[in-house]
Amino acid sequence: MQVTTVHHAPAGTDHTVIGAASGLLGQYRAAPDEAFFASPTRTLLAEGVHARVPQDGRPLVERVADTLARARRDGVEHPLVVGAVAFDHDSRAELAVPARLRTCGALRDDPLIALPAPAADRIDWNVRPVPAPEAYGSGVAEAVDRLRGGELSKVVLARTLELHADRPLDLPAILQRLARRDPGGYTFGVPAGGGRTLIGASPELLLSRRGTAVVANPLAGSVPRSADLGEDVRRAAALLESPKDLHEHAFVVDAIRTALAPYCRTLDVPERPTLVRTAAMWHLATTITAELADPAVSALELAVALHPTPAVCGSPTPLAREAIREIEPFDRGLYAGMVGWGDADGDGEWVVTLRCAEADERTLRVFAGAGVVAESRPEAELAETSAKFRTFLDAAGVPR
């Protein structure tokens, strides 16, 4: 296997050696100072910590820029940060400049990614939903009342499953199963603080920047996949014509267009969404492309300007945030935040932290959410979150 091994490789490094990307995936050990991130363009394995981004109350973009500048002064040739940012990005960020970084091409371009992942261990799981399903349904109904009263246009409500295992968890094997199931998505295993690991496979690119070229790929509006091919195609076609889902998707696209416009010389937003599929879900997706007016604006600065989008929060954002705080009985933490990397030149890839769990030695806290609009029904949103849970639960070996 060949990979680039340097103190820091340029973010644009691209290797297509067979086995390189799957090899980096296989070397991930979920250590407290280790991070793995794979996208449709590259695969990164970061080891050790050269410097951590401080949690000192300054704006996140300023803290990251200072950390990267210090790393460059320390002699790091192409410094970058990698890790995760909380849903409330001013409150918490688990980002670090790694001591060693290995990078190669995309997992989806490595033929060896098609090999089977390690089988899941037989584990006796204790599962506790937070909130209970009936309480989540009541929360959706409360949100619908607010929406119909004109207070909100959309709010995203999440729930969690807390799983306790009867033996230590094999987190690298879970990541292998996530990556091999959807190698064209965004797979990550990064430190979550306090000895925990954030692990998942998100379908949604918040924003990437390479030079002055910017891409965002918001997802909103979803339906579970079916094992029956005919039914699966029918569900996909129905999603493309669903007034409720198209309405929900339009909120997100309009918000991203509005947030990006001040930074961009050109901005291309398709009129209608297309479909993106994962192993578990169909999603409505729009690929937004833009050209920056000022090349000094970093990927992270743009991502912070976009986040949280209506896809993970709602609209209008301040009122949706308040509704989430009042209705959800838990702190989202890193869920629905951002995970990825950004370098000292301003390039980077930041994805929405979805289809994920915070894990320690024997515990998983799995998250899923659904966008609630005035036409939403509690039972449908409960079913949607249940389907989204399956991406991670299947990888962890939790029985259906």
Side-chain angles (χ1 to χ4, degrees):
M1 180 187 76
Q2 287 184 304
V3 294
T4 297
T5 306
V6 292
H7 188 69
H8 272 195
T13 300
D14 183 22
H15 300 280
T16 55
V17 176
I18 291 175
S22 57
L24 289 186
L25 174 64
Q27 292 176 46
Y28 174 71
R29 294 292 175 263
D33 62 350
E34 190 176 52
F36 178 89
F37 179 81
S39 77
T41 66
R42 72 197 73 234
T43 305
L44 307 178
L45 180 63
E47 299 166 303
V49 174
H50 175 83
R52 296 189 188 279
V53 174
Q55 316 263 17
D56 59 13
R58 290 179 296 157
L60 176 63
V61 173
E62 179 182 338
R63 286 181 280 143
V64 169
D66 284 355
T67 303
L68 289 169
R70 286 198 306 272
R72 183 167 271 173
R73 290 195 297 270
D74 291 343
V76 180
E77 188 175 356
H78 297 284
L80 60 75
V81 294
V82 61
V85 179
F87 176 69
D88 181 359
H89 51 71
D90 287 329
S91 69
R92 180 180 167 203
E94 301 291 343
L95 297 169
V97 178
R100 296 171 301 283
L101 180 70
R102 289 184 284 169
T103 178
C104 64
L107 282 175
R108 67 177 181 181
D109 296 330
D110 183 349
L112 298 188
I113 199 64
L115 295 175
D121 294 333
R122 291 184 176 273
I123 292 176
D124 184 13
W125 294 98
N126 179 275
V127 182
R128 184 173 80 96
V130 179
E134 58 272 18
Y136 180 76
S138 297
V140 171
E142 179 183 343
V144 168
D145 285 344
R146 298 189 187 196
L147 289 155
R148 290 176 177 171
E151 179 182 344
L152 291 163
S153 300
K154 174 184 176 181
V155 63
V156 178
L157 293 182
R159 64 190 185 103
T160 72
L161 296 178
E162 295 180 358
L163 297 95
H164 298 268
D166 63 347
R167 68 193 68 184
L169 299 170
D170 188 346
L171 297 183
I174 293 175
L175 190 68
Q176 285 262 358
R177 290 189 286 274
L178 287 168
R180 293 181 186 276
R181 193 179 188 202
D182 281 315
Y186 300 87
T187 307
F188 52 89
V190 301
R196 298 182 303 277
T197 299
L198 177 71
I199 186 169
S202 175
E204 184 169 359
L205 173 67
L206 177 64
L207 182 130
S208 70
R209 196 208 90 162
R210 187 168 186 176
T212 58
V214 173
V215 179
N217 187 212
L219 309 184
S222 307
V223 67
R225 302 284 306 274
S226 172
D228 177 83
L229 178 59
E231 173 62 14
D232 196 45
V233 171
R234 189 200 67 76
R235 291 183 185 183
L239 181 62
L240 274 174
E241 301 300 329
S242 164
K244 179 259 187 188
D245 290 287
L246 290 169
H247 182 57
E248 179 184 342
H249 189 81
F251 276 124
V252 180
V253 172
D254 288 345
I256 290 178
R257 177 195 287 113
T258 300
L260 279 180
Y263 297 94
C264 297
R265 184 168 58 83
T266 64
L267 184 61
D268 181 32
V269 183
E271 290 186 6
R272 285 185 61 85
T274 57
L275 288 170
V276 166
R277 66 182 180 186
T278 68
M281 303 291 296
W282 286 105
H283 300 280
L284 292 177
T286 295
T287 299
I288 298 171
T289 56
E291 192 75 19
L292 281 178
D294 180 1
V297 177
S298 70
L300 181 61
E301 184 175 349
L302 293 168
V304 168
L306 296 184
H307 187 272
T309 73
V312 294
C313 182
S315 180
T317 301
L319 292 178
R321 277 184 179 273
E322 184 62 27
I324 288 168
R325 280 193 291 266
E326 292 174 357
I327 296 173
E328 288 182 359
F330 58 88
D331 180 1
R332 289 187 174 188
L334 297 174
Y335 167 69
M338 306 182 290
V339 60
W341 63 273
D343 68 17
D345 295 325
D347 288 343
E349 291 178 298
W350 297 99
V351 305
V352 185
T353 312
L354 304 173
R355 313 298 188 272
C356 64
E358 286 198 20
D360 58 25
E361 185 180 17
R362 293 173 182 255
T363 303
L364 295 172
R365 191 179 185 209
V366 187
F367 300 86
V372 181
V373 293
E375 300 83 6
S376 292
R377 295 176 295 109
E379 60 272 21
E381 308 307 337
L382 184 64
E384 180 176 324
T385 54
S386 296
K388 289 175 176 176
F389 277 137
R390 286 317 317 175
T391 295
F392 199 94
L393 297 181
D394 288 346
V398 180
R400 291 179 179 264

